Amino acid sequence: KAGVTQTPRYLIKTRGQQVTLSCSPISGHRSVSWYQQTPGQGLQFLFEYFSETQRNKGNFPGRFSGRQFSNSRSEMNVSTLELGDSALYLCASSSTPGTGSGELFFGEGSRLTVL
Amino acid sequence: GEDVEQSLFLSVREGDSSVINCTYTDSSSTYLYWYKQEPGAGLQLLTYIFSNMDMKQDQRLTVLLNKKDKHLSLRIADTQTGDSAIYFCAERGRQAGTALIFGKGTTLSVSS
């Protein structure tokens, strides 16, 4: 069974640009969560999607947005990039939220550098 | 609010046992998890424990949970150089909904 796939793995943008990151969950998983990892703040929750609906949202500005498609693939978008948005963006998938042990399975991440 | 704390570094010799500690604040936590992150990689789920358990063993890994003190530990027996990585403790609490709250991670360094 293939794991969580994130693309692109690495990207460099300049301030003011926007970026879109993609995530394909494990086959059969319908929940996708996004986390931002930085050396200073650690792992912070961005948002979670289930059945194309945002179920939960972390404490990030409106420049950060996401969506989920009918095939469970998800994208996140960051507009008007700032230097502080440089981070590893991790996507995680899980089966049905609120059932079982609810463990998350992470992808390798997309490393964004903003210059 | 919710918080998960871990010590930042741990250094051990190959063959010794490693114990990584974690404290959390949300008494309503249902599940607690341990993840491993190697350089340049994502997070790998190692194990998890349900809040009504106090111990779980999985091969070289032993998780101990003291719910009264909100303390979680991960013991790695016969630590190998390949165990060198960052280890994250995470909780799933009622307040955070479906999100996991992670600690800052403990860097484990194993010397031969």
Side-chain angles (χ1 to χ4, degrees):
Chain A
K1 196 183 238 189
V4 178
T5 304
Q6 290 189 245
T7 57
R9 288 292 314 278
Y10 304 91
L11 66 168
I12 300 173
K13 294 285 187 178
T14 56
R15 278 181 297 174
Q17 287 187 311
Q18 74 161 8
V19 67
T20 299
L21 308 178
S22 179
C23 172
S24 293
I26 292 171
S27 177
H29 283 188
R30 295 166 60 195
S31 173
V32 173
S33 303
W34 289 89
Y35 288 78
Q36 181 197 62
Q37 185 178 25
T38 59
Q41 298 299 316
L43 282 149
Q44 294 187 287
F45 172 73
L46 281 156
F47 24 66
E48 180 193 8
Y49 288 87
F50 176 71
S51 292
E52 302 178 68
T53 301
Q54 187 180 87
R55 279 176 48 96
N56 198 1
K57 187 177 190 304
N59 189 25
F60 278 82
R63 300 185 297 107
F64 292 81
S65 63
R67 59 178 175 167
Q68 186 180 35
F69 302 95
S70 58
N71 62 357
S72 295
R73 191 178 71 84
S74 176
E75 287 181 349
M76 68 162 281
N77 184 277
V78 188
S79 62
T80 319
L81 284 166
E82 300 176 0
L83 294 179
D85 297 332
S86 294
L88 181 66
Y89 290 88
L90 291 162
C91 168
S93 78
S94 62
S95 50
T96 303
T99 64
S101 53
E103 60 265 44
L104 301 183
F105 297 90
F106 284 83
E108 297 285 287
S110 292
R111 183 165 295 282
L112 170 66
T113 301
V114 181
L115 303 177
Chain B
E2 298 157 322
D3 199 12
V4 177
E5 294 194 356
Q6 304 177 236
S7 52
L8 292 182
F9 299 102
L10 177 64
S11 181
V12 301
R13 296 184 72 88
E14 192 173 24
D16 289 349
S17 292
S18 306
V19 179
I20 302 171
N21 295 300
C22 166
T23 58
Y24 60 98
T25 57
D26 187 352
S27 58
S28 69
S29 291
T30 52
Y31 284 92
L32 295 126
Y33 309 84
W34 284 103
Y35 283 87
K36 175 184 179 182
Q37 186 176 37
E38 297 184 17
L43 272 67
Q44 173 195 353
L45 176 67
L46 288 177
T47 187
Y48 62 88
I49 188 167
F50 187 47
S51 58
N52 71 350
M53 299 169 64
D54 51 20
M55 187 181 90
K56 180 179 180 182
Q57 188 149 3
D58 186 359
Q59 299 182 332
R60 292 191 297 123
L61 305 179
T62 303
V63 179
L64 296 178
L65 175 60
N66 181 327
K67 200 173 179 183
K68 174 176 166 289
D69 294 336
K70 300 190 188 72
H71 182 267
L72 182 74
S73 68
L74 174 70
R75 178 178 180 269
I76 306 173
D78 187 25
T79 312
Q80 303 297 307
T81 54
D83 294 324
S84 294
I86 304 176
Y87 290 80
F88 292 91
C89 163
E91 64 169 348
R92 179 182 296 280
R94 197 159 298 147
Q95 293 178 49
T98 51
L100 295 191
I101 306 299
F102 285 86
K104 291 285 175 69
T106 299
T107 298
L108 174 64
S109 174
V110 183
S111 57
S112 56

